[in-house]
């Protein structure tokens, strides 16, 4: 009798739960272990990461899995606590809790023969045949190397707000009066809002244009005719996206190929109009001194180095931004911190600072793998000269192909304003899931889930899980390595221009095209709604993908 396949999944957030449920559905006989360093499941929505006032940017109706509705009223905002409750219910519903090891950190993953050895901080070593890494992009905090010896207050990353929440929001005697927030993305805005609502004074420091992410385009879409922005997520919007995942068909030829003058003009005009319309709304239209420092970095909404920042109608933030009393915006880089002072390079000194929150992004740790896994970010010095030449040639060809297919991307500020030095190689995973090293392709022993910055987390993670698990189980094949590497280079070259040198993979507006591509790979129906109107104008939800694993298994059985 054959031994059960031993599977380890690292991460118990959206991606890890989707991978676990999918794997058990495809092969119920596996010996499954789910490992997460947090004491509770949920990933970024675990109890250790959430705090009062935190709201999910995706509304109910778009933030649940296909086989378990959240049962909240559609298009309502969801408090972070509700997301945690939902993910806990999902794990309980599909008997995933019994497979979990929570509060345990993975120290090392090493291949020995045909097995993985997963070393834990409990001095245990778990042996497995298949390894699924679902830690996502927001697990390991990046803290800039800023001298802060002698700084008297707490300096934390935004991922640590939950355990420090009481300290940063305490009022009265002994409470903080002034907080510095460093960073320009959505997590920085969340930190600013938290402090303002607690009655603190905030100095918000964002690096200059081209030096880092931000500021994100701030939108109050919830106030547009009283509707949540989710109603605008139908497939119709895809035709305006310069997507490398969809360069065929009439709409691409008309709007994106550069062969139709009217279509090219119309496409550019639409993206500029979006930017123009947005800055005529709050918080931009008042035009205060603070707001002038937060204007979008490109005249076209097409190009952005960070995601949209949805404000959820927070009046305290908007009022404070315009008054400029309790909230002051600085466009600079923090050079040092000491005592109760924060130094900026323009000679400005922020004084009487009681604490600081760094919303400075994430790093993806690869040192747990021994040896390093080709396809994950690593120092350029780790590559051999032949590997560097191989990828340099692929990237050069990919650049030409991207501009040939999507000429509008030649206007990307990436080629002028954004010239940040690359410290590591980019992600090089096929479909953002599969390393293409011959050893792992042959062994079918390793996949990654959740490595794409996108706006449809649940749908993307479910489809990615099915794509990855079906490969691990030998149910389908993938293209030759050279073909996959060419596509990886193509997607990376596109992402650099579309998202201004994004350090992590992104397909914020194009995620539906990515999902469609994986569904085609799996031989499953791409257009899943009934009728052309619903297909084009009704938002895609996870429930539209209900039953896809069963459909896939039926297709495998037929062939």
């Amino acid at each position: 009798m054959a031994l059960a396949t031993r599977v380890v999944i690292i991460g118990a957030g959206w991606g890890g739960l989707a991978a676990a449920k999918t794997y058990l559905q495809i092969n119920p006989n596996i010996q499954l272990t789910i490992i997460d360093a947090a004491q509770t499941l949920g990933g970024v929505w675990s109890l250790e990461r959430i705090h009062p006032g935190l709201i999910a940017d995706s509304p109910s109706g778009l933030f649940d899995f296909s086989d378990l509705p959240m049962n909240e009223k559609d298009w309502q905002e969801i408090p972070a606590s509700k997301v945690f409750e939902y993910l806990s219910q999902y794990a309980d519903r599909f008997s995933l809790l019994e497979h979990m090891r929570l509060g345990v950190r993975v120290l090392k993953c090493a291949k020995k023969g045909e097995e993985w050895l997963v070393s834990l901080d409990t001095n245990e070593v778990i042996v497995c045949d298949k390894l699924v890494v679902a830690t996502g992009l927001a697990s390991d905090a990046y803290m800039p190397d800023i001298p802060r010896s002698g700084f008297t207050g707490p300096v934390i990353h935004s991922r640590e707000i939950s355990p420090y929440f009481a300290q940063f929001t305490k009022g009265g005697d002994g409470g903080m009066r002034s907080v510095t927030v460093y960073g320009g993305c959505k997590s920085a805005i969340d930190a600013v809002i938290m402090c303002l609502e607690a009655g603190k004074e905030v100095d918000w420091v964002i690096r200059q244009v081209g030096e880092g992410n931000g500021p994100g385009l701030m939108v109050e879409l919830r106030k547009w005719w009283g509707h949540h922005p989710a109603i605008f997520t139908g497939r119709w919007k895809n035709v305006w996206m310069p997507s490398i995942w969809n360069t065929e068909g009439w709409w691409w030829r008309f709007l994106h190929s550069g062969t139709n003058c009217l279509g090219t003009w119309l496409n550019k005009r639409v993206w500029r109009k979006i930017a123009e319309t947005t800055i005529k709304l709050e918080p931009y239209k008042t035009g205060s001194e603070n707001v002038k420092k937060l204007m979008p970095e490109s005249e076209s909404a097409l190009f952005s180095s960070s995601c949209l920042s949805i404000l959820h109608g927070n009046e305290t933030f908007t009022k404070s931004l315009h008054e400029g009393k309790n909230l002051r915006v600085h466009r600079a880089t923090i050079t040092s911190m000491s005592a109760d002072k924060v130094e900026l390079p323009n000679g400005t000194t922020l004084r009487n600072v009681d604490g600081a929150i760094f919303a400075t992004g994430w790093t993806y740790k690869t040192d747990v793998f021994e040896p390093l896994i080709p396809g994950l970010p690593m120092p350029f010095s780790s590559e051999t000269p032949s590997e560097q030449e191989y990828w340099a040639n692929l990237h050069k060809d990919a650049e030409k192909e991207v501009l040939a297919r999507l000429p509008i991307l030649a206007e990307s500020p990436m080629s002028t304003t954004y010239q940040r030095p690359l410290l590591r190689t980019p992600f090089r995973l096929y479909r953002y899931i599969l390393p293409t090293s011959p050893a792992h392709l042959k062994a079918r022993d390793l996949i990654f889930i959740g490595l794409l910055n996108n706006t449809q987390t649940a749908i993307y993670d479910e489809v990615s899980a099915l794509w990855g698990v079906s490969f691990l189980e030998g149910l389908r094949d993938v293209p030759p390595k050279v073909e996959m590497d060419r596509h990886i280079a193509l997607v990376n070259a596109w992402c650099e221009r579309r998202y201004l040198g994004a350090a992590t993979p992104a397909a914020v507006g194009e995620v539906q095209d990515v999902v469609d591509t994986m569904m085609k790979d799996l031989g499953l129906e791409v257009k899943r709604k009934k009728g052309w109107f619903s297909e084009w104008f009704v938002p895609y939800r996870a429930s539209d993908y209900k039953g896809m694993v069963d459909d896939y298994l039926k297709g495998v059985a037929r062939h």
Side-chain angles (χ1 to χ4, degrees):
M1 182 177 179
L3 296 176
T5 301
R6 299 163 296 183
V7 179
V8 166
I9 297 176
I10 305 175
W14 285 95
L17 296 179
K21 188 264 182 183
T22 301
Y23 219 133
L24 288 170
Q25 191 171 353
I26 287 179
N27 184 353
N29 298 318
I30 62 171
Q31 180 182 318
L32 175 63
T33 304
I34 306 168
I35 302 171
D36 199 290
Q39 297 293 332
T40 57
L41 61 80
V44 298
W45 302 101
S46 66
L47 289 180
E48 290 92 325
R49 299 278 297 272
I50 63 176
H51 57 83
L54 184 63
I55 298 174
D57 281 346
S58 294
S60 56
L62 291 182
F63 214 40
D64 50 11
F65 286 123
S66 65
D67 37 20
L68 183 65
M70 188 175 279
N71 292 325
E72 295 289 325
K73 185 179 179 181
D74 282 353
W75 318 125
Q76 297 299 304
E77 292 173 340
I78 314 172
S81 58
K82 288 290 184 182
V83 181
F84 170 74
E85 290 175 10
Y86 170 77
L87 294 176
S88 299
Q89 292 169 3
Y90 186 85
D92 181 58
R93 170 75 173 272
F94 295 104
S95 302
L96 304 182
L97 295 172
E98 62 198 63
H99 299 282
M100 290 187 181
R101 295 281 308 276
L102 300 176
V104 177
R105 184 174 296 277
V106 173
L107 300 179
K108 184 182 298 183
C109 298
K111 198 73 188 290
K112 184 178 181 180
E114 297 182 353
E115 299 175 327
W116 283 102
L117 304 182
V118 181
S119 301
L120 310 178
D121 63 358
T122 56
N123 294 322
E124 300 172 80
V125 176
I126 296 180
V127 181
C128 66
D129 307 296
K130 311 287 185 181
L131 183 62
V132 179
V133 182
T135 51
L137 293 169
S139 291
D140 296 302
Y142 170 71
M143 292 289 284
D145 186 16
I146 296 173
R148 55 178 187 265
S149 176
F151 185 75
T152 54
V155 180
I156 67 170
H157 190 272
S158 56
R159 84 181 303 278
E160 301 171 295
I161 285 178
S162 180
Y164 283 89
F165 180 80
Q167 186 173 356
F168 273 85
T169 58
K170 180 182 178 181
D173 293 339
M176 293 186 184
R177 291 175 297 175
S178 176
V179 177
T180 294
V181 175
Y182 191 28
C185 289
K186 182 58 166 62
S187 55
I189 294 178
D190 288 337
V192 169
I193 290 173
M194 177 193 74
C195 294
L196 289 174
E197 292 192 329
K200 313 303 177 186
E201 292 189 9
V202 179
D203 284 286
W204 185 11
V205 183
I206 306 172
R207 290 185 290 183
Q208 294 283 10
V209 174
E211 295 182 357
N213 281 355
L217 186 64
M218 298 180 292
V219 290
E220 282 285 16
L221 290 181
R222 191 180 67 164
K223 294 184 176 180
W224 281 15
W225 311 293
H227 294 301
H228 193 283
I231 67 171
F232 301 108
T233 57
R235 191 180 285 275
W236 67 269
K237 69 174 176 52
N238 292 29
V239 302
W240 300 101
M241 302 292 173
S243 172
I244 199 64
W245 300 87
N246 186 12
T247 53
E248 58 184 20
W250 189 88
W251 284 109
W252 167 73
R253 289 192 298 273
F254 178 60
L255 293 173
H256 303 291
S257 69
T259 59
N260 188 294
C261 294
L262 175 61
T264 300
W265 174 86
L266 181 62
N267 192 28
K268 291 181 180 180
R269 183 62 189 137
V270 164
W271 284 104
R272 287 183 179 272
K273 191 65 176 178
I274 292 173
E276 292 170 2
T277 301
T278 301
I279 62 177
K280 291 178 181 177
L281 303 174
E282 289 293 6
Y284 296 105
K285 73 174 183 179
T286 302
S288 62
E289 288 303 310
N290 275 339
V291 168
K292 291 176 182 178
K293 301 173 185 177
L294 297 174
M295 296 303 289
E297 299 177 345
S298 171
E299 293 181 358
S300 171
L302 176 61
F303 303 108
S304 175
S305 61
S306 46
C307 297
L308 291 177
S309 296
I310 299 176
L311 300 181
H312 302 288
N314 190 282
E315 295 180 0
T316 299
F317 174 78
T318 304
K319 181 180 178 181
S320 299
L321 189 65
H322 295 326
E323 290 180 345
K325 296 178 180 178
N326 292 334
L327 175 58
R328 297 168 292 272
V329 178
H330 311 267
R331 294 308 298 269
T333 302
I334 294 177
T335 56
S336 65
M337 305 170 68
S338 61
D340 61 352
K341 298 189 289 292
V342 174
E343 303 290 345
L344 307 182
N346 57 6
T348 300
T349 299
L350 309 180
R351 302 181 184 277
N352 302 316
V353 179
D354 297 311
I357 301 174
F358 281 31
T360 45
W362 312 93
T363 183
Y364 193 82
K365 289 188 176 180
T366 58
D367 55 1
V368 297
F369 289 99
E370 191 178 275
L372 293 175
I373 301 296
L376 295 182
M378 63 179 67
F380 285 101
S381 59
S382 299
E383 289 187 309
T384 65
S386 61
E387 289 171 334
Q388 291 181 1
E389 183 181 8
Y390 175 75
W391 284 105
N393 289 334
L394 286 179
H395 184 77
K396 183 178 179 180
D397 292 341
E399 269 275 299
K400 294 178 181 179
E401 187 171 351
V402 166
L403 296 180
R405 295 189 190 186
L406 301 166
I408 194 173
L409 295 186
E411 300 178 8
S412 169
M414 179 60 198
S415 59
T416 54
T417 305
Y418 290 81
Q419 292 294 330
R420 289 170 287 176
L422 292 176
L423 303 178
R424 300 185 299 172
T425 62
F427 283 90
R428 291 168 178 160
L429 302 172
Y430 186 60
R431 301 291 192 248
Y432 308 115
I433 299 171
L434 183 64
T436 62
S437 62
H440 294 299
L441 291 175
K442 181 179 180 181
R444 294 179 181 259
D445 62 350
L446 176 65
I447 60 169
F448 296 82
I449 302 294
L451 294 183
L452 180 66
N453 184 4
N454 71 91
T455 52
Q456 294 180 342
T457 299
I459 293 174
Y460 172 75
D461 284 346
E462 275 198 272
V463 178
S464 296
L466 178 55
W467 193 100
V469 171
S470 63
F471 173 78
L472 291 179
E473 285 295 289
L475 299 179
R476 62 182 185 81
D477 293 321
V478 292
K481 171 179 166 54
V482 65
E483 184 177 332
M484 290 191 288
D485 287 347
R486 285 173 180 160
H487 190 268
I488 290 168
L490 182 69
V491 169
N492 283 347
W494 166 80
C495 189
E496 284 181 9
R497 288 184 171 273
R498 173 74 166 93
Y499 293 102
L500 304 183
T504 54
V508 179
E510 298 83 5
V511 61
Q512 188 65 58
D513 291 334
V514 179
V515 169
D516 290 350
T517 299
M518 290 190 289
M519 294 292 283
K520 291 176 185 177
D521 291 344
L522 292 163
L524 294 174
E525 181 64 39
V526 171
K527 295 184 177 180
R528 305 184 69 81
K529 291 183 177 293
K530 296 180 180 180
W532 69 269
F533 183 87
S534 294
E535 185 63 45
W536 278 91
F537 297 103
V538 177
Y540 255 81
R541 304 168 57 164
S543 57
D544 292 314
Y545 294 84
K546 186 176 182 178
M548 67 175 176
V549 177
D550 289 334
D551 292 342
Y552 178 73
L553 292 175
K554 290 176 183 177
V556 171
R558 286 195 299 267
H559 295 89

